[in-house]
Amino acid sequence: MSGTSLVLEFAVQTVGPLRVPVLQAPMAGSRPLLPGATVKGAARRSAAAIATVLGLPPCRGDGDPRCSLCRLFGAAGVAGAVHWSAATLAEAGHPTRWPDILDARRRHPVDRALGLSAGPPLPTRLAFPAGLRFQASLDGWLAGDGRADAALLAAALLRLPYVGGGNAAGFGRVSVAISRLRLAEEAQDVDALLDSLLSQEVV
Ligand SMILES: [Zn+2]
């Protein structure tokens, strides 16, 4: 396999409730997970927005190997360079099993701005409350020395505004912290990588 190996570990913390479709919810009693595809989809949107700001050619979604979005996230018929594992709920003094953290059926949603009930709980949604911390990791093989794609990926994660689509499946605001980024098994300074992305040294 040519290229540079990447390992990236990060934490996703829910800032607001994150609603998930029941069908995606793990079975009661199991450890809660945030599907890797959910975080990946949000990260791709975030990366596309950053690529636009940087003036990179727009992604056409055709799997062009010169397109960093297609390289990192894949395209129709083309696998992405990075494997996204599911994010697992970190132990942090709160319940870590489904029945204890789900609140969709027990609590009526409240519109905090108005201080009013926002209606009855939706029967087909479950929610992670705010303040949960999920631990996630991804790994793969990046083009060249890996710095350009790793920098875009790190920036996309750190600027992730929400996961879950911001749609009917839940406007889940999150904040992300990167705990470790290794290229070719060498720890990288994430801030230095981001600086090089902004100055376009690595693009
Ligand atoms: Zn593309």
Side-chain angles (χ1 to χ4, degrees), residues 44 59-62 67 69-70:
R44 183 178 191 133
C59 175
R60 297 190 305 270
D62 58 1
C67 170
L69 284 175
C70 286

Side-chain angles (χ1 to χ4, degrees), residues 136-171:
S137 69
L138 49 84
D139 60 84
W141 291 86
L142 303 184
D145 68 5
R147 289 177 56 80
D149 285 352
L152 181 61
L153 198 51
L157 284 171
L158 292 172
R159 293 295 300 272
L160 206 63
Y162 57 81
V163 296
N167 54 27
F171 201 104

Side-chain angles (χ1 to χ4, degrees), residues 4-200:
T4 302
S5 68
L6 165 80
V7 177
L8 201 162
E9 294 170 14
F10 60 102
V12 179
Q13 182 151 354
T14 54
V15 175
L18 170 60
R19 293 179 189 84
V20 290
V22 168
L23 287 178
Q24 284 183 16
M27 300 294 287
S30 69
R31 203 170 163 78
L33 298 173
L34 206 49
T38 300
V39 181
K40 177 184 177 182
R44 183 178 191 133
R45 288 191 295 273
S46 175
I50 292 167
T52 300
V53 169
L54 292 175
L56 302 179
C59 175
R60 297 190 305 270
D62 58 1
D64 186 337
R66 290 166 301 177
C67 170
S68 43
L69 284 175
C70 286
R71 284 199 305 268
L72 283 169
F73 298 99
V78 180
V82 174
H83 169 252
W84 298 70
S85 68
T88 54
L89 188 61
E91 311 264 4
H94 51 64
T96 56
R97 294 168 78 84
W98 270 104
D100 301 320
I101 64 164
L102 292 178
D103 60 3
R105 299 254 169 79
R106 291 195 292 262
R107 191 189 303 164
H108 286 250
V110 171
D111 184 324
R112 292 187 191 280
L114 298 173
L116 298 171
S117 166
L122 294 173
T124 58
R125 307 286 182 208
L126 307 172
F128 291 121
L132 291 187
R133 194 176 152 88
F134 293 86
Q135 206 63 44
S137 69
L138 49 84
D139 60 84
W141 291 86
L142 303 184
D145 68 5
R147 289 177 56 80
D149 285 352
L152 181 61
L153 198 51
L157 284 171
L158 292 172
R159 293 295 300 272
L160 206 63
Y162 57 81
V163 296
N167 54 27
F171 201 104
R173 280 202 300 132
V174 295
S175 82
V176 173
I178 292 176
S179 51
R180 183 181 308 209
L181 196 165
R182 293 166 74 84
L183 286 173
E185 310 204 340
E186 235 173 78
Q188 304 292 313
D189 180 333
V190 173
D191 288 326
L193 260 187
L194 294 175
D195 283 348
S196 62
L197 179 71
L198 286 177
S199 60
Q200 308 236 15

